[in-house]
Amino acid sequence: MIRMHRRRFGALALAALAAASSTALAQGGGWPTERPITWVVPYPPGGTTDILGRALALRLASALGTTIVVDNKAGATGTIGSAFVARAPADGYTLLGTSIGPQAVVPNLLPKMPYDAVKAFAPISLIGTIPHVLVVGADQPFTSVAALVAAARARPGEISFASGGNGTVLQMQGEMLRLQTGTRMTHVPYKGDTPAIQDVLAGHAGFMFAPVAAALPHIKSGRLRALAVTSADRLAALPEVPTMGQAGFKDFVVAQWQAVYAPAGTPAPLVERLHAEIVRQLKDPELVAMADKLGVTLVGSTPQQLAETQKADLAKWGQVIKAAGIKPD
């Protein structure tokens, strides 16, 4: 007769029960209809992450047959909302709709983070990517990236570049250009992309890397001049504008991404179901059209692809921040 220690049997029984419960929940047995799901956006209302997140959450709620409440927990360059999700129960009822900043840039910048950007989360899917464009005001003399860099070399420290704030991926691109060219350029941070663009328009800042959707109306009106895009290929919206690679700057492909995470430890069946439903919704023609207007190319990746993208960008921007000597506010 085979005998099993009671404690050992109890542990196995509990593990089997937990696995069965996770499977049942993923199939709809209590999850997600037990209570509303909270979709945390770590930025204020009205931005790309918020608008796209709300549209996707609405469709996801319908697909899951439940309610999803979007909760904006802004502050500290996105880390307040991210920390909230990192501390939340791993039960599928709390999701994080976020971007590259809190997950791959800021962790390299702050000496003490309120969460581990990799270990605290379960990746679900990339939502999409946002290309950027290097722009100067129409009154600036620069007609190419090479001309801008030549001026920076001739006048060290006099050419300034704007960004939507310290620790943003927009700042990181300016710093990367400075490092790659060995020039001295002055970073001027603003509280958001819009005021940064306004000062480039007014000539108070020499240039900036801006989201294409935000800069496009000003480019079309002739108030901003586009020198290069940071995507791997030319953009349909700006077919005459070269890529940074075509402008002579290799290894300068940058994408600001949007993604969805859950707290670490969320059962695999729940992650799999969320992933499948999110990827399905990202093919919705209405959502695709909305994303196009926001300048977002929808992706829909596997959890592993999101994890690999995050780790690669953590390493990439960590090197830039270290080499540029960037410090937090």
Side-chain angles (χ1 to χ4, degrees):
M1 180 181 293
I2 299 175
R3 294 184 178 181
M4 183 177 291
H5 194 282
R6 288 183 180 179
R7 290 183 179 177
R8 174 66 172 162
F9 176 79
L12 290 173
L14 285 173
L17 179 60
S21 297
S22 295
T23 302
L25 285 172
Q27 294 172 347
W31 181 90
T33 57
E34 196 173 78
R35 64 181 187 272
I37 293 172
T38 298
W39 180 293
V40 175
V41 175
Y43 300 107
T48 300
T49 306
D50 177 67
I51 295 171
L52 190 58
R54 287 178 184 275
L56 181 54
L58 182 65
R59 289 163 172 78
L60 181 61
S62 178
L64 295 175
T66 190
T67 300
I68 297 182
V69 178
V70 177
D71 187 5
N72 296 87
K73 293 187 179 297
T77 322
T79 59
I80 290 176
S82 299
F84 176 86
V85 175
R87 295 191 298 264
D91 56 8
Y93 285 100
T94 307
L95 302 176
L96 176 66
T98 188
S99 73
I100 185 175
Q103 300 303 107
V105 178
V106 180
N108 290 298
L109 191 60
L110 296 182
K112 187 175 182 181
M113 282 286 291
Y115 56 86
D116 186 304
V118 173
K119 295 180 180 178
F121 302 97
I124 297 177
S125 178
L126 276 168
I127 296 176
T129 58
I130 303 173
H132 293 141
V133 56
L134 195 168
V135 293
V136 299
D139 293 335
Q140 297 284 357
F142 318 120
T143 57
S144 67
V145 185
L148 173 65
V149 170
R153 287 200 176 106
R155 292 147 41 201
E158 292 185 25
I159 304 294
S160 64
F161 65 94
S163 82
N166 283 319
T168 61
V169 71
L170 301 185
Q171 178 198 1
M172 295 302 112
Q173 291 168 93
E175 300 289 358
M176 190 159 72
L177 179 63
R178 182 174 67 80
L179 288 171
Q180 285 192 6
T181 58
T183 54
R184 282 204 301 120
M185 295 182 279
T186 303
H187 173 231
V188 183
Y190 292 81
K191 293 183 178 180
D193 296 350
T194 300
I197 290 173
Q198 291 300 320
D199 261 19
V200 174
L201 284 166
H204 300 314
F207 72 97
M208 75 175 288
F209 287 89
V212 170
L216 192 58
H218 304 297
I219 295 171
K220 296 298 184 184
S221 71
R223 298 181 66 203
L224 285 179
R225 184 181 304 119
L227 302 186
V229 294
T230 65
S231 49
D233 302 304
R234 293 196 183 207
L235 301 177
L238 295 168
E240 73 287 356
V241 179
T243 66
M244 287 293 289
Q246 291 169 339
F249 299 86
K250 296 181 179 180
D251 301 321
F252 209 110
V253 176
V254 178
Q256 178 181 347
W257 44 262
Q258 307 278 322
V260 185
Y261 293 83
T266 299
L270 303 189
V271 171
E272 290 166 5
R273 187 176 178 200
L274 286 165
H275 167 258
E277 295 293 353
I278 287 171
V279 170
R280 187 176 295 115
Q281 298 312 313
L282 290 176
K283 297 176 182 177
D284 182 324
E286 290 186 2
L287 190 61
V288 172
M290 174 186 284
D292 284 343
K293 292 180 180 178
L294 293 171
V296 180
T297 301
L298 297 183
V299 177
S301 74
T302 65
Q304 182 60 32
Q305 287 169 333
L306 171 55
E308 290 171 356
T309 297
Q310 180 186 4
K311 288 180 181 178
D313 276 345
L314 273 165
K316 176 179 183 176
W317 298 120
Q319 291 174 356
V320 170
I321 289 169
K322 183 178 181 180
I326 303 170
K327 304 296 181 183
D329 290 339

